[in-house]
Amino acid sequence: SSPLKQVVYSEHVLEGHTNIVNVVAVCKGTRDIVTGSYDNTARIWRKKKGGKWYECVQVLDGHTNSINAVAVCPHTDDVMTGSFDGTVRVWE
């Protein structure tokens, strides 16, 4: 047994993207999760009221190629996405 072996437990799987998810960020203020995917969309996930599970609350659609970068402004929680389509989008 390797001392580096690590067991990871998943409490909840966020389902909704139709292709590989390759970037993830967390909003510092809201604790929302932002995911970016090869399906050309980013999704915002929020904890359900009174629960611990997340649900998709918004799909950020507009890129014409896969999203390869996601960032969240720590002061405003604005989301920025970078895509292989050569654009960066700012989502308020």
Side-chain angles (χ1 to χ4, degrees), residues 6 8 39 46 52 63 71-72 80:
Q6 185 176 20
V8 177
D39 67 7
R46 184 169 294 145
K52 65 179 184 176
H63 285 292
V72 180
M80 285 73 61

Side-chain angles (χ1 to χ4, degrees), residues 51-91:
K52 65 179 184 176
W53 306 119
Y54 284 83
E55 64 184 338
C56 180
V57 294
Q58 190 168 8
V59 177
L60 307 177
D61 191 13
H63 285 292
T64 59
N65 208 326
S66 63
I67 294 174
N68 62 325
V70 171
V72 180
C73 178
H75 305 293
T76 64
D77 282 335
D78 289 348
V79 174
M80 285 73 61
T81 53
S83 169
F84 279 118
D85 66 12
T87 65
V88 172
R89 292 180 182 258
V90 179
W91 312 83

Side-chain angles (χ1 to χ4, degrees), residues 27-47:
C27 297
K28 185 176 181 180
T30 64
R31 306 305 298 164
D32 290 348
I33 297 171
V34 182
T35 55
S37 170
Y38 278 34
D39 67 7
N40 306 349
T41 69
R43 292 176 184 259
I44 299 177
W45 307 86
R46 184 169 294 145
K47 278 193 175 182

